[in-house]
Amino acid sequence: MRIKGLGSNKLERITGNNRVAAERPVASGRAAKAGSSRGRDDVALSEGARIAGQAGEAVQSSPELRMELIQPIKEALASGTYNVSSLDVADKMLRQVLMERKQSL
């Protein structure tokens, strides 16, 4: 990926990092001009940025909400008539614990 219109000098000011200039060997004459036109800027993303990107992709690829299924549950919650079986809750909790334990082994 290439960032257009952002020279390494501007990038150094933005990031506060002068690493790019420090790593390049100093050349003179024609070699310096040729080398500077072929320079390459690298971008490194943090783990948080990668996760945010993956979350955005997941949202874009996920199906739309099916309001015909959500609305009755919302109404039951609002009226206080929505009931969940305690056995179902316990079952889900135990399954989750067992899955976590299996993954940690």
Side-chain angles (χ1 to χ4, degrees):
M1 179 201 287
R2 185 179 173 108
I3 301 173
K4 294 181 180 179
L6 187 63
S8 64
N9 191 23
K10 288 182 183 178
L11 185 60
E12 291 164 7
R13 281 187 279 153
I14 292 169
T15 63
N17 186 356
N18 199 10
R19 189 184 99 228
V20 175
E23 289 178 354
R24 283 192 193 136
V26 177
S28 61
R30 203 179 281 178
K33 290 179 184 174
S36 65
S37 66
R38 292 187 210 138
R40 189 179 118 202
D41 294 330
D42 292 327
V43 176
L45 299 176
S46 68
E47 186 63 25
R50 284 191 196 107
I51 292 171
Q54 290 172 348
E57 289 174 7
V59 167
Q60 292 296 325
S61 66
S62 67
E64 293 185 28
L65 296 177
R66 294 175 29 197
M67 292 308 293
E68 68 273 5
L69 298 177
I70 295 172
Q71 195 58 38
I73 295 172
K74 279 185 169 184
E75 290 170 1
L77 284 170
S79 68
T81 59
Y82 185 76
N83 293 314
V84 178
S85 164
S86 58
L87 289 175
D88 289 342
V89 172
D91 181 58
K92 292 284 184 177
M93 290 172 65
L94 288 173
R95 287 177 187 274
Q96 183 66 34
V97 168
L98 292 173
M99 286 295 275
E100 289 173 3
R101 181 174 287 169
K102 183 178 178 181
Q103 291 174 353
S104 68
L105 295 178

PDB file of all heavy atoms in Angstrom, residues 20-57:
ATOM      1  N   VAL A  20      13.338   6.237   9.397  1.00  0.00           N
ATOM      2  CA  VAL A  20      13.467   6.052   7.955  1.00  0.00           C
ATOM      3  C   VAL A  20      14.719   6.751   7.453  1.00  0.00           C
ATOM      4  O   VAL A  20      15.510   6.193   6.718  1.00  0.00           O
ATOM      5  CB  VAL A  20      12.213   6.565   7.215  1.00  0.00           C
ATOM      6  CG1 VAL A  20      12.405   6.491   5.719  1.00  0.00           C
ATOM      7  CG2 VAL A  20      10.999   5.768   7.642  1.00  0.00           C
ATOM      8  N   ALA A  21      14.920   8.010   7.878  1.00  0.00           N
ATOM      9  CA  ALA A  21      16.089   8.755   7.428  1.00  0.00           C
ATOM     10  C   ALA A  21      17.365   8.173   8.015  1.00  0.00           C
ATOM     11  O   ALA A  21      18.410   8.154   7.374  1.00  0.00           O
ATOM     12  CB  ALA A  21      15.954  10.217   7.816  1.00  0.00           C
ATOM     13  N   ALA A  22      17.321   7.673   9.243  1.00  0.00           N
ATOM     14  CA  ALA A  22      18.513   7.136   9.887  1.00  0.00           C
ATOM     15  C   ALA A  22      18.949   5.821   9.255  1.00  0.00           C
ATOM     16  O   ALA A  22      20.136   5.503   9.237  1.00  0.00           O
ATOM     17  CB  ALA A  22      18.255   6.938  11.377  1.00  0.00           C
ATOM     18  N   GLU A  23      18.011   5.035   8.741  1.00  0.00           N
ATOM     19  CA  GLU A  23      18.355   3.730   8.192  1.00  0.00           C
ATOM     20  C   GLU A  23      18.898   3.809   6.774  1.00  0.00           C
ATOM     21  O   GLU A  23      19.591   2.914   6.330  1.00  0.00           O
ATOM     22  CB  GLU A  23      17.122   2.815   8.204  1.00  0.00           C
ATOM     23  CG  GLU A  23      16.732   2.379   9.594  1.00  0.00           C
ATOM     24  CD  GLU A  23      15.495   1.513   9.579  1.00  0.00           C
ATOM     25  OE1 GLU A  23      14.882   1.336   8.501  1.00  0.00           O
ATOM     26  OE2 GLU A  23      15.128   1.015  10.650  1.00  0.00           O
ATOM     27  N   ARG A  24      18.570   4.870   6.036  1.00  0.00           N
ATOM     28  CA  ARG A  24      19.033   4.970   4.657  1.00  0.00           C
ATOM     29  C   ARG A  24      20.510   5.339   4.623  1.00  0.00           C
ATOM     30  O   ARG A  24      20.934   6.249   5.319  1.00  0.00           O
ATOM     31  CB  ARG A  24      18.253   6.049   3.920  1.00  0.00           C
ATOM     32  CG  ARG A  24      16.894   5.624   3.533  1.00  0.00           C
ATOM     33  CD  ARG A  24      16.305   6.634   2.573  1.00  0.00           C
ATOM     34  NE  ARG A  24      14.900   6.365   2.463  1.00  0.00           N
ATOM     35  CZ  ARG A  24      13.967   7.292   2.476  1.00  0.00           C
ATOM     36  NH1 ARG A  24      14.279   8.555   2.580  1.00  0.00           N
ATOM     37  NH2 ARG A  24      12.713   6.964   2.367  1.00  0.00           N
ATOM     38  N   PRO A  25      21.278   4.673   3.805  1.00  0.00           N
ATOM     39  CA  PRO A  25      22.679   5.054   3.680  1.00  0.00           C
ATOM     40  C   PRO A  25      22.787   6.379   2.950  1.00  0.00           C
ATOM     41  O   PRO A  25      21.988   6.693   2.080  1.00  0.00           O
ATOM     42  CB  PRO A  25      23.295   3.918   2.856  1.00  0.00           C
ATOM     43  CG  PRO A  25      22.149   3.302   2.131  1.00  0.00           C
ATOM     44  CD  PRO A  25      20.938   3.508   2.995  1.00  0.00           C
ATOM     45  N   VAL A  26      23.760   7.157   3.332  1.00  0.00           N
ATOM     46  CA  VAL A  26      23.970   8.450   2.702  1.00  0.00           C
ATOM     47  C   VAL A  26      24.723   8.230   1.405  1.00  0.00           C
ATOM     48  O   VAL A  26      25.776   7.604   1.374  1.00  0.00           O
ATOM     49  CB  VAL A  26      24.771   9.391   3.635  1.00  0.00           C
ATOM     50  CG1 VAL A  26      25.045  10.715   2.948  1.00  0.00           C
ATOM     51  CG2 VAL A  26      24.028   9.592   4.934  1.00  0.00           C
ATOM     52  N   ALA A  27      24.168   8.732   0.300  1.00  0.00           N
ATOM     53  CA  ALA A  27      24.799   8.595  -1.007  1.00  0.00           C
ATOM     54  C   ALA A  27      24.960   9.974  -1.601  1.00  0.00           C
ATOM     55  O   ALA A  27      24.317  10.928  -1.184  1.00  0.00           O
ATOM     56  CB  ALA A  27      23.949   7.710  -1.911  1.00  0.00           C
ATOM     57  N   SER A  28      25.798  10.083  -2.583  1.00  0.00           N
ATOM     58  CA  SER A  28      26.019  11.395  -3.175  1.00  0.00           C
ATOM     59  C   SER A  28      25.794  11.340  -4.678  1.00  0.00           C
ATOM     60  O   SER A  28      25.786  10.270  -5.273  1.00  0.00           O
ATOM     61  CB  SER A  28      27.450  11.852  -2.877  1.00  0.00           C
ATOM     62  OG  SER A  28      28.362  10.933  -3.458  1.00  0.00           O
ATOM     63  N   GLY A  29      25.627  12.525  -5.292  1.00  0.00           N
ATOM     64  CA  GLY A  29      25.541  12.626  -6.741  1.00  0.00           C
ATOM     65  C   GLY A  29      24.333  11.951  -7.324  1.00  0.00           C
ATOM     66  O   GLY A  29      23.249  11.961  -6.767  1.00  0.00           O
ATOM     67  N   ARG A  30      24.522  11.325  -8.467  1.00  0.00           N
ATOM     68  CA  ARG A  30      23.449  10.694  -9.233  1.00  0.00           C
ATOM     69  C   ARG A  30      22.823   9.525  -8.474  1.00  0.00           C
ATOM     70  O   ARG A  30      21.624   9.303  -8.535  1.00  0.00           O
ATOM     71  CB  ARG A  30      24.012  10.212 -10.562  1.00  0.00           C
ATOM     72  CG  ARG A  30      22.973  10.062 -11.623  1.00  0.00           C
ATOM     73  CD  ARG A  30      23.570   9.616 -12.914  1.00  0.00           C
ATOM     74  NE  ARG A  30      24.191  10.754 -13.592  1.00  0.00           N
ATOM     75  CZ  ARG A  30      24.838  10.671 -14.731  1.00  0.00           C
ATOM     76  NH1 ARG A  30      24.994   9.507 -15.309  1.00  0.00           N
ATOM     77  NH2 ARG A  30      25.356  11.732 -15.295  1.00  0.00           N
ATOM     78  N   ALA A  31      23.626   8.770  -7.746  1.00  0.00           N
ATOM     79  CA  ALA A  31      23.112   7.615  -6.996  1.00  0.00           C
ATOM     80  C   ALA A  31      22.127   8.067  -5.929  1.00  0.00           C
ATOM     81  O   ALA A  31      21.133   7.405  -5.670  1.00  0.00           O
ATOM     82  CB  ALA A  31      24.263   6.832  -6.368  1.00  0.00           C
ATOM     83  N   ALA A  32      22.391   9.213  -5.297  1.00  0.00           N
ATOM     84  CA  ALA A  32      21.479   9.703  -4.261  1.00  0.00           C
ATOM     85  C   ALA A  32      20.134  10.059  -4.854  1.00  0.00           C
ATOM     86  O   ALA A  32      19.090   9.747  -4.292  1.00  0.00           O
ATOM     87  CB  ALA A  32      22.091  10.912  -3.562  1.00  0.00           C
ATOM     88  N   LYS A  33      20.141  10.744  -6.000  1.00  0.00           N
ATOM     89  CA  LYS A  33      18.879  11.131  -6.635  1.00  0.00           C
ATOM     90  C   LYS A  33      18.103   9.908  -7.101  1.00  0.00           C
ATOM     91  O   LYS A  33      16.896   9.830  -6.940  1.00  0.00           O
ATOM     92  CB  LYS A  33      19.154  12.066  -7.798  1.00  0.00           C
ATOM     93  CG  LYS A  33      19.645  13.412  -7.359  1.00  0.00           C
ATOM     94  CD  LYS A  33      19.930  14.296  -8.541  1.00  0.00           C
ATOM     95  CE  LYS A  33      20.517  15.619  -8.065  1.00  0.00           C
ATOM     96  NZ  LYS A  33      20.934  16.451  -9.170  1.00  0.00           N
ATOM     97  N   ALA A  34      18.780   8.929  -7.661  1.00  0.00           N
ATOM     98  CA  ALA A  34      18.108   7.717  -8.141  1.00  0.00           C
ATOM     99  C   ALA A  34      17.551   6.929  -6.970  1.00  0.00           C
ATOM    100  O   ALA A  34      16.446   6.410  -7.025  1.00  0.00           O
ATOM    101  CB  ALA A  34      19.074   6.858  -8.951  1.00  0.00           C
ATOM    102  N   GLY A  35      18.294   6.836  -5.888  1.00  0.00           N
ATOM    103  CA  GLY A  35      17.842   6.080  -4.717  1.00  0.00           C
ATOM    104  C   GLY A  35      16.661   6.731  -4.042  1.00  0.00           C
ATOM    105  O   GLY A  35      15.766   6.068  -3.560  1.00  0.00           O
ATOM    106  N   SER A  36      16.624   8.067  -3.990  1.00  0.00           N
ATOM    107  CA  SER A  36      15.525   8.738  -3.304  1.00  0.00           C
ATOM    108  C   SER A  36      14.217   8.585  -4.055  1.00  0.00           C
ATOM    109  O   SER A  36      13.159   8.568  -3.464  1.00  0.00           O
ATOM    110  CB  SER A  36      15.857  10.212  -3.092  1.00  0.00           C
ATOM    111  OG  SER A  36      15.952  10.856  -4.355  1.00  0.00           O
ATOM    112  N   SER A  37      14.269   8.466  -5.380  1.00  0.00           N
ATOM    113  CA  SER A  37      13.029   8.307  -6.130  1.00  0.00           C
ATOM    114  C   SER A  37      12.470   6.902  -6.000  1.00  0.00           C
ATOM    115  O   SER A  37      11.315   6.665  -6.273  1.00  0.00           O
ATOM    116  CB  SER A  37      13.249   8.658  -7.609  1.00  0.00           C
ATOM    117  OG  SER A  37      14.125   7.698  -8.189  1.00  0.00           O
ATOM    118  N   ARG A  38      13.288   5.964  -5.583  1.00  0.00           N
ATOM    119  CA  ARG A  38      12.832   4.579  -5.418  1.00  0.00           C
ATOM    120  C   ARG A  38      12.535   4.245  -3.968  1.00  0.00           C
ATOM    121  O   ARG A  38      12.281   3.096  -3.644  1.00  0.00           O
ATOM    122  CB  ARG A  38      13.900   3.609  -5.929  1.00  0.00           C
ATOM    123  CG  ARG A  38      14.082   3.659  -7.412  1.00  0.00           C
ATOM    124  CD  ARG A  38      15.030   2.568  -7.849  1.00  0.00           C
ATOM    125  NE  ARG A  38      15.736   3.026  -9.029  1.00  0.00           N
ATOM    126  CZ  ARG A  38      17.011   2.861  -9.260  1.00  0.00           C
ATOM    127  NH1 ARG A  38      17.761   2.232  -8.395  1.00  0.00           N
ATOM    128  NH2 ARG A  38      17.560   3.315 -10.355  1.00  0.00           N
ATOM    129  N   GLY A  39      12.611   5.225  -3.062  1.00  0.00           N
ATOM    130  CA  GLY A  39      12.378   4.963  -1.647  1.00  0.00           C
ATOM    131  C   GLY A  39      10.992   4.403  -1.400  1.00  0.00           C
ATOM    132  O   GLY A  39      10.064   4.638  -2.163  1.00  0.00           O
ATOM    133  N   ARG A  40      10.857   3.657  -0.347  1.00  0.00           N
ATOM    134  CA  ARG A  40       9.588   3.015  -0.050  1.00  0.00           C
ATOM    135  C   ARG A  40       9.218   3.278   1.402  1.00  0.00           C
ATOM    136  O   ARG A  40      10.050   3.128   2.281  1.00  0.00           O
ATOM    137  CB  ARG A  40       9.726   1.517  -0.280  1.00  0.00           C
ATOM    138  CG  ARG A  40       8.407   0.788  -0.206  1.00  0.00           C
ATOM    139  CD  ARG A  40       8.597  -0.666  -0.470  1.00  0.00           C
ATOM    140  NE  ARG A  40       8.185  -1.343   0.744  1.00  0.00           N
ATOM    141  CZ  ARG A  40       8.557  -2.545   1.093  1.00  0.00           C
ATOM    142  NH1 ARG A  40       9.392  -3.209   0.354  1.00  0.00           N
ATOM    143  NH2 ARG A  40       8.134  -3.087   2.190  1.00  0.00           N
ATOM    144  N   ASP A  41       8.017   3.695   1.639  1.00  0.00           N
ATOM    145  CA  ASP A  41       7.521   3.901   2.992  1.00  0.00           C
ATOM    146  C   ASP A  41       6.752   2.667   3.418  1.00  0.00           C
ATOM    147  O   ASP A  41       5.990   2.103   2.643  1.00  0.00           O
ATOM    148  CB  ASP A  41       6.601   5.117   3.062  1.00  0.00           C
ATOM    149  CG  ASP A  41       7.348   6.413   2.793  1.00  0.00           C
ATOM    150  OD1 ASP A  41       8.546   6.461   3.110  1.00  0.00           O
ATOM    151  OD2 ASP A  41       6.730   7.358   2.274  1.00  0.00           O
ATOM    152  N   ASP A  42       6.959   2.249   4.643  1.00  0.00           N
ATOM    153  CA  ASP A  42       6.256   1.098   5.187  1.00  0.00           C
ATOM    154  C   ASP A  42       5.290   1.565   6.264  1.00  0.00           C
ATOM    155  O   ASP A  42       5.555   2.526   6.983  1.00  0.00           O
ATOM    156  CB  ASP A  42       7.235   0.087   5.795  1.00  0.00           C
ATOM    157  CG  ASP A  42       8.106  -0.571   4.744  1.00  0.00           C
ATOM    158  OD1 ASP A  42       7.616  -0.775   3.624  1.00  0.00           O
ATOM    159  OD2 ASP A  42       9.270  -0.880   5.049  1.00  0.00           O
ATOM    160  N   VAL A  43       4.179   0.875   6.366  1.00  0.00           N
ATOM    161  CA  VAL A  43       3.183   1.176   7.377  1.00  0.00           C
ATOM    162  C   VAL A  43       2.978  -0.074   8.207  1.00  0.00           C
ATOM    163  O   VAL A  43       2.777  -1.163   7.675  1.00  0.00           O
ATOM    164  CB  VAL A  43       1.837   1.593   6.727  1.00  0.00           C
ATOM    165  CG1 VAL A  43       0.772   1.805   7.782  1.00  0.00           C
ATOM    166  CG2 VAL A  43       2.023   2.835   5.896  1.00  0.00           C
ATOM    167  N   ALA A  44       3.041   0.079   9.519  1.00  0.00           N
ATOM    168  CA  ALA A  44       2.806  -1.045  10.434  1.00  0.00           C
ATOM    169  C   ALA A  44       1.556  -0.738  11.246  1.00  0.00           C
ATOM    170  O   ALA A  44       1.421   0.346  11.802  1.00  0.00           O
ATOM    171  CB  ALA A  44       4.005  -1.244  11.350  1.00  0.00           C
ATOM    172  N   LEU A  45       0.634  -1.686  11.298  1.00  0.00           N
ATOM    173  CA  LEU A  45      -0.604  -1.512  12.052  1.00  0.00           C
ATOM    174  C   LEU A  45      -0.490  -2.198  13.398  1.00  0.00           C
ATOM    175  O   LEU A  45       0.081  -3.288  13.506  1.00  0.00           O
ATOM    176  CB  LEU A  45      -1.784  -2.097  11.284  1.00  0.00           C
ATOM    177  CG  LEU A  45      -2.075  -1.484   9.920  1.00  0.00           C
ATOM    178  CD1 LEU A  45      -3.208  -2.225   9.256  1.00  0.00           C
ATOM    179  CD2 LEU A  45      -2.387  -0.019  10.041  1.00  0.00           C
ATOM    180  N   SER A  46      -1.055  -1.586  14.419  1.00  0.00           N
ATOM    181  CA  SER A  46      -1.068  -2.203  15.737  1.00  0.00           C
ATOM    182  C   SER A  46      -2.059  -3.358  15.750  1.00  0.00           C
ATOM    183  O   SER A  46      -2.899  -3.497  14.858  1.00  0.00           O
ATOM    184  CB  SER A  46      -1.465  -1.172  16.796  1.00  0.00           C
ATOM    185  OG  SER A  46      -2.826  -0.805  16.616  1.00  0.00           O
ATOM    186  N   GLU A  47      -1.969  -4.165  16.773  1.00  0.00           N
ATOM    187  CA  GLU A  47      -2.887  -5.300  16.897  1.00  0.00           C
ATOM    188  C   GLU A  47      -4.328  -4.806  17.025  1.00  0.00           C
ATOM    189  O   GLU A  47      -5.250  -5.381  16.452  1.00  0.00           O
ATOM    190  CB  GLU A  47      -2.513  -6.152  18.112  1.00  0.00           C
ATOM    191  CG  GLU A  47      -3.310  -7.428  18.241  1.00  0.00           C
ATOM    192  CD  GLU A  47      -3.104  -8.397  17.084  1.00  0.00           C
ATOM    193  OE1 GLU A  47      -2.056  -8.366  16.419  1.00  0.00           O
ATOM    194  OE2 GLU A  47      -4.011  -9.208  16.837  1.00  0.00           O
ATOM    195  N   GLY A  48      -4.507  -3.703  17.750  1.00  0.00           N
ATOM    196  CA  GLY A  48      -5.846  -3.129  17.902  1.00  0.00           C
ATOM    197  C   GLY A  48      -6.424  -2.680  16.566  1.00  0.00           C
ATOM    198  O   GLY A  48      -7.603  -2.865  16.300  1.00  0.00           O
ATOM    199  N   ALA A  49      -5.577  -2.099  15.728  1.00  0.00           N
ATOM    200  CA  ALA A  49      -6.030  -1.657  14.412  1.00  0.00           C
ATOM    201  C   ALA A  49      -6.395  -2.849  13.537  1.00  0.00           C
ATOM    202  O   ALA A  49      -7.358  -2.800  12.776  1.00  0.00           O
ATOM    203  CB  ALA A  49      -4.953  -0.816  13.736  1.00  0.00           C
ATOM    204  N   ARG A  50      -5.619  -3.919  13.640  1.00  0.00           N
ATOM    205  CA  ARG A  50      -5.943  -5.125  12.864  1.00  0.00           C
ATOM    206  C   ARG A  50      -7.282  -5.708  13.305  1.00  0.00           C
ATOM    207  O   ARG A  50      -8.105  -6.108  12.476  1.00  0.00           O
ATOM    208  CB  ARG A  50      -4.841  -6.172  13.044  1.00  0.00           C
ATOM    209  CG  ARG A  50      -3.606  -5.876  12.257  1.00  0.00           C
ATOM    210  CD  ARG A  50      -2.658  -7.068  12.264  1.00  0.00           C
ATOM    211  NE  ARG A  50      -1.368  -6.617  11.836  1.00  0.00           N
ATOM    212  CZ  ARG A  50      -0.307  -6.455  12.617  1.00  0.00           C
ATOM    213  NH1 ARG A  50      -0.380  -6.756  13.898  1.00  0.00           N
ATOM    214  NH2 ARG A  50       0.836  -6.022  12.136  1.00  0.00           N
ATOM    215  N   ILE A  51      -7.501  -5.753  14.610  1.00  0.00           N
ATOM    216  CA  ILE A  51      -8.758  -6.298  15.138  1.00  0.00           C
ATOM    217  C   ILE A  51      -9.928  -5.424  14.708  1.00  0.00           C
ATOM    218  O   ILE A  51     -10.981  -5.929  14.309  1.00  0.00           O
ATOM    219  CB  ILE A  51      -8.693  -6.437  16.674  1.00  0.00           C
ATOM    220  CG1 ILE A  51      -7.690  -7.540  17.043  1.00  0.00           C
ATOM    221  CG2 ILE A  51     -10.068  -6.721  17.263  1.00  0.00           C
ATOM    222  CD1 ILE A  51      -7.385  -7.629  18.517  1.00  0.00           C
ATOM    223  N   ALA A  52      -9.738  -4.103  14.758  1.00  0.00           N
ATOM    224  CA  ALA A  52     -10.799  -3.190  14.326  1.00  0.00           C
ATOM    225  C   ALA A  52     -11.107  -3.392  12.848  1.00  0.00           C
ATOM    226  O   ALA A  52     -12.271  -3.368  12.442  1.00  0.00           O
ATOM    227  CB  ALA A  52     -10.394  -1.742  14.593  1.00  0.00           C
ATOM    228  N   GLY A  53     -10.086  -3.593  12.043  1.00  0.00           N
ATOM    229  CA  GLY A  53     -10.291  -3.856  10.618  1.00  0.00           C
ATOM    230  C   GLY A  53     -11.049  -5.146  10.378  1.00  0.00           C
ATOM    231  O   GLY A  53     -11.945  -5.220   9.542  1.00  0.00           O
ATOM    232  N   GLN A  54     -10.677  -6.180  11.144  1.00  0.00           N
ATOM    233  CA  GLN A  54     -11.374  -7.460  11.005  1.00  0.00           C
ATOM    234  C   GLN A  54     -12.825  -7.340  11.455  1.00  0.00           C
ATOM    235  O   GLN A  54     -13.721  -7.927  10.840  1.00  0.00           O
ATOM    236  CB  GLN A  54     -10.660  -8.542  11.816  1.00  0.00           C
ATOM    237  CG  GLN A  54      -9.316  -8.928  11.244  1.00  0.00           C
ATOM    238  CD  GLN A  54      -8.538  -9.851  12.160  1.00  0.00           C
ATOM    239  OE1 GLN A  54      -8.889 -10.038  13.324  1.00  0.00           O
ATOM    240  NE2 GLN A  54      -7.463 -10.425  11.646  1.00  0.00           N
ATOM    241  N   ALA A  55     -13.065  -6.568  12.512  1.00  0.00           N
ATOM    242  CA  ALA A  55     -14.442  -6.377  12.988  1.00  0.00           C
ATOM    243  C   ALA A  55     -15.266  -5.651  11.939  1.00  0.00           C
ATOM    244  O   ALA A  55     -16.422  -5.995  11.695  1.00  0.00           O
ATOM    245  CB  ALA A  55     -14.442  -5.599  14.299  1.00  0.00           C
ATOM    246  N   GLY A  56     -14.666  -4.642  11.306  1.00  0.00           N
ATOM    247  CA  GLY A  56     -15.360  -3.917  10.249  1.00  0.00           C
ATOM    248  C   GLY A  56     -15.702  -4.807   9.079  1.00  0.00           C
ATOM    249  O   GLY A  56     -16.809  -4.734   8.527  1.00  0.00           O
ATOM    250  N   GLU A  57     -14.770  -5.681   8.710  1.00  0.00           N
ATOM    251  CA  GLU A  57     -15.029  -6.624   7.619  1.00  0.00           C
ATOM    252  C   GLU A  57     -16.144  -7.593   7.998  1.00  0.00           C
ATOM    253  O   GLU A  57     -16.986  -7.932   7.162  1.00  0.00           O
ATOM    254  CB  GLU A  57     -13.764  -7.394   7.280  1.00  0.00           C
ATOM    255  CG  GLU A  57     -12.702  -6.556   6.599  1.00  0.00           C
ATOM    256  CD  GLU A  57     -11.397  -7.307   6.410  1.00  0.00           C
ATOM    257  OE1 GLU A  57     -11.338  -8.520   6.686  1.00  0.00           O
ATOM    258  OE2 GLU A  57     -10.422  -6.672   5.988  1.00  0.00           O
TER     259      GLU A  57
END
